[in-house]
Amino acid sequence: MCQIDIGVLGQVWVHPTAPEPFVDFHTVHKCRDFEAIRKWAEEHQMPAIKDLPKDWYLVPPKEGDVYTKIP
């Protein structure tokens, strides 16, 4: 499985006047142990929405975090 992506940044912010997430497909891939990554992901996955703390939310982008055009 040489296409597993372990990148943390799966999306970038675009359009400064109305920020929206855009999937960043410009990632470098490296062959990795698929089963080891699957095991790690299952052990570290986010809890179900019903189990999230009440103050958990998506933080909007800060100035400078938004691309002016799609990369």
Side-chain angles (χ1 to χ4, degrees):
M1 296 283 190
C2 285
Q3 293 300 318
I4 190 161
D5 189 352
I6 61 167
V8 175
L9 181 63
Q11 297 182 347
V12 294
W13 292 101
V14 293
H15 310 303
T17 56
E20 61 181 290
F22 180 80
V23 177
D24 181 8
F25 294 106
H26 296 97
T27 57
V28 177
H29 295 277
K30 176 181 174 182
C31 290
R32 300 178 186 274
D33 181 341
F34 182 82
E35 289 304 321
I37 292 171
R38 181 199 312 258
K39 182 176 186 270
W40 182 93
E42 288 174 352
E43 292 169 355
H44 293 86
Q45 65 185 326
M46 189 174 113
I49 291 175
K50 66 179 181 58
D51 298 328
L52 289 174
K54 295 200 182 312
D55 62 349
W56 187 90
Y57 57 92
L58 177 64
V59 177
K62 298 183 291 290
E63 186 175 336
D65 287 346
V66 183
Y67 288 93
T68 56
K69 61 182 182 175
I70 294 174

